[in-house]
């Protein structure tokens, strides 16, 4: 879609509250797909690359959280992403936090969200994926239910993995959402080692009988350099297949002017870009080229895509950039 066209659509969508316009946009997209209209969308030029043993047509994929329940995979695929990540999916359905829980910061090209893993649960998602036509690269992002105590978190991730691996090109272990109390404590050394060891064991069992499903860990941008160093050591020890850097931040730097800056939740979009790239720059040498990095956080235009790749990322994911700029972001992925 041409930018000027999207700017009209954006005006219409921004008339509604953010969560409502999210649903309107996705339902509209699915309708357009059913009518065959999405065939008219110009697809990015192919620049294939192999990452985690998978061949991606170009570097730009869709980040988790836009399609939590795999309700819109075929329509989203028609937009030309080289991969799509659905979720976060938890074992049981849950409603998430009370609305309002999603806020636009238009001037800053940012969002604050405290959705809290609202999703329909793994059974529903498996059912949706049975019906999906898409055969491209699909990441499935898994998490734990809010009411599962932290010491039993590994059981929830194992359940998600067991239930959903057969639909997945890779599985993302989300331990970095700021909106599930205690979740980010799973990034601490002992908890992380135990969780990843459990999932690697599960991965091994599935690989023996079926196929190898790459495991990817999604991390927070709010980790100190020391914490990142420990994280890198554990990821290498556990032979994790990829890292997504990063999730949303709880910092509020650069958005002090916004009337919603005080809202609790994770900040995404342009104000996250620099911090998230800085994390990639620190992580890249620590991972010694053994674990590929997928960039997420402030991928908002061509320049930010190039910045992420130059910092050491192999692929990038978009979310907030799509809300503000539409498909313009993907027009030139010539890297
Ligand atoms: C409304 C919303 C919901 C999100 N839900 C999830 C989620 O369920 N799981 C997850 O791993 N990340 C989730 N994210 C984080 C995004 O996947 C992404 O990592 C983050 O927004 C930073 O990228 P961006 O600046 O391009 O948006 C969500 C982000 C937003 C804005």
């Amino acid at each position: 879609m041409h930018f000027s066209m999207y700017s009209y659509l954006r005006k219409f969508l921004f008339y509604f509250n953010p969560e409502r316009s999210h649903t309107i946009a996705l339902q509209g997209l699915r309708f357009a797909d059913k009518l065959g209209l999405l065939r008219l969308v110009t697809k990015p030029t192919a620049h294939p690359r192999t990452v985690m043993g998978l061949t991606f047509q170009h570097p730009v994929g869709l980040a988790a959280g836009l399609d939590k329940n795999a309700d819109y995979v075929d329509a989203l695929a028609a937009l030309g992403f080289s991969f799509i990540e659905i979720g976060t999916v938890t074992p049981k359905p849950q409603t998430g936090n009370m609305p309002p829980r999603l806020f636009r910061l238009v001037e800053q090209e940012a969002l604050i969200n405290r959705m809290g893993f609202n999703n329909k649960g793994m059974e529903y998602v498996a059912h949706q994926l049975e019906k999906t036509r898409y055969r491209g690269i699909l990441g499935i992002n898994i998490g734990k239910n809010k009411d599962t105590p932290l010491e039993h978190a590994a059981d929830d991730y194992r359940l998600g993995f067991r239930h959903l691996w057969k639909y997945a090109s890779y599985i993302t272990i989300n331990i970095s959402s700021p909106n599930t109390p205690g979740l980010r404590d799973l990034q601490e050394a002992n908890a992380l080692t135990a969780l990843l060891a459990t999932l690697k064991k599960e991965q091994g069992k599935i690989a023996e009988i079926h196929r190898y499903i790459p495991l990817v860990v999604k991390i927070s941008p709010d980790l100190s350099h020391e914490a990142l160093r420990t994280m890198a050591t554990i990821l290498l020890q556990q032979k994790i297949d990829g890292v997504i850097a990063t999730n949303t931040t709880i910092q509020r730097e650069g958005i002090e002017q916004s009337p919603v800056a005080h809202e609790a939740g994770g900040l995404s979009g342009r104000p996250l870009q620099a911090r998230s790239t800085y994390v990639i720059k620190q992580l890249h040498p620590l991972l010694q080229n053994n674990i590929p990095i997928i960039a997420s956080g402030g991928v908002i235009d061509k320049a930010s895509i190039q910045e992420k790749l130059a910092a050491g990322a192999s692929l990038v994911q978009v979310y907030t950039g799509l809300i503000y700029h539409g498909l313009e972001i993907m027009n030139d992925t010539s890297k």
Side-chain angles (χ1 to χ4, degrees):
M1 192 182 299
H2 194 265
F3 175 66
S4 58
M5 235 169 94
Y6 181 74
S7 62
Y8 286 115
L9 182 58
R10 187 182 121 162
K11 262 205 188 102
F12 166 74
L13 289 171
F14 279 24
Y15 178 76
F16 301 94
N17 80 53
E19 207 171 331
R20 183 91 194 92
S21 64
H22 183 101
T23 314
I24 294 171
L26 286 171
Q27 286 179 349
L29 192 68
R30 189 163 56 189
F31 188 59
D33 185 41
K34 292 230 162 88
L35 294 179
L37 293 176
L38 299 183
R39 262 175 294 174
L40 304 175
V41 173
T42 324
K43 303 292 184 296
T45 327
H47 292 280
R49 64 209 57 219
T50 302
V51 183
M52 305 187 292
L54 305 166
T55 305
F56 296 77
Q57 286 308 312
H58 60 81
V60 188
L62 178 68
L66 196 100
D67 187 6
K68 288 181 189 266
N69 299 305
D71 285 324
Y72 306 99
V73 174
D74 288 328
L76 288 166
L79 299 181
F81 297 107
S82 72
F83 62 117
I84 291 174
E85 190 167 312
I86 59 138
T88 296
V89 188
T90 56
K92 287 178 293 168
Q94 59 180 35
T95 53
N97 292 320
M98 286 282 288
R101 52 191 180 175
L102 178 57
F103 305 88
R104 273 188 211 113
L105 296 82
V106 178
E107 269 170 44
Q108 292 83 2
E109 295 188 328
L111 295 170
I112 291 177
N113 92 82
R114 51 166 180 272
M115 305 303 286
F117 289 171
N118 54 311
N119 79 104
K120 295 179 182 165
M122 62 185 191
E123 308 273 352
Y124 175 89
V125 169
H127 183 70
Q128 288 304 94
L129 291 173
E130 283 291 341
K131 297 191 293 185
T132 300
R133 294 187 315 268
Y134 177 64
R135 291 292 171 268
I137 298 176
L138 182 78
I140 302 184
N141 182 307
I142 57 172
K144 76 164 202 72
N145 279 110
K146 187 181 175 188
D147 62 7
T148 302
L150 219 48
E151 55 279 20
H152 298 307
D155 295 341
D156 273 15
Y157 287 92
R158 188 167 46 197
L159 270 172
F161 191 16
R162 269 194 198 158
H163 216 79
L164 295 170
W165 68 263
K166 69 172 156 166
Y167 310 102
S169 309
Y170 69 87
I171 292 276
T172 300
I173 306 161
N174 183 4
I175 46 173
S176 50
S177 165
N179 301 315
T180 294
L183 190 85
R184 292 180 309 160
D185 296 347
L186 295 170
Q187 295 179 117
E188 179 272 321
N190 291 337
L192 183 65
T193 307
L195 174 64
L196 298 186
T198 304
L199 293 172
K200 280 304 283 188
K201 212 160 126 192
E202 206 58 37
Q203 181 192 45
K205 278 191 217 159
I206 296 166
E208 263 177 37
I209 312 169
H210 303 283
R211 65 188 162 94
Y212 185 84
I213 315 288
L215 280 173
V216 175
V217 174
K218 185 164 179 178
I219 65 168
S220 157
D222 303 324
L223 297 170
S224 67
H225 185 71
E226 255 338 281
L228 271 178
R229 198 184 271 281
T230 309
M231 167 76 68
T233 308
I234 297 171
L235 297 178
L236 287 165
Q237 272 167 0
Q238 295 292 333
K239 299 196 161 46
I240 289 301
D241 302 282
V243 185
I244 300 179
T246 65
N247 213 314
T248 56
T249 178
I250 56 167
Q251 304 296 322
R252 292 293 182 263
E253 273 161 51
I255 62 154
E256 295 84 356
Q257 311 305 323
S258 165
V260 295
H262 65 280
E263 292 289 350
L267 172 70
S268 59
R270 200 180 281 284
L272 173 60
Q273 184 185 336
R275 173 68 207 174
S276 187
T277 302
Y278 180 66
V279 169
I280 297 172
K281 279 190 183 149
Q282 289 182 83
L283 208 52
H284 185 60
L286 294 171
L287 295 176
Q288 304 150 19
N289 278 328
N290 283 318
I291 304 180
I293 300 171
I294 302 170
S296 162
V299 174
I300 215 135
D301 52 18
K302 281 173 218 163
S304 52
I305 295 177
Q306 264 139 23
E307 179 188 289
K308 302 291 184 188
L309 297 174
S314 303
L315 300 162
V316 305
Q317 292 182 320
V318 292
Y319 191 140
T320 307
L322 208 58
I323 312 291
Y324 287 100
H325 296 290
L327 295 176
E328 161 89 347
I329 303 175
M330 292 212 288
N331 282 358
D332 179 17
T333 54
S334 54
K335 280 289 289 210

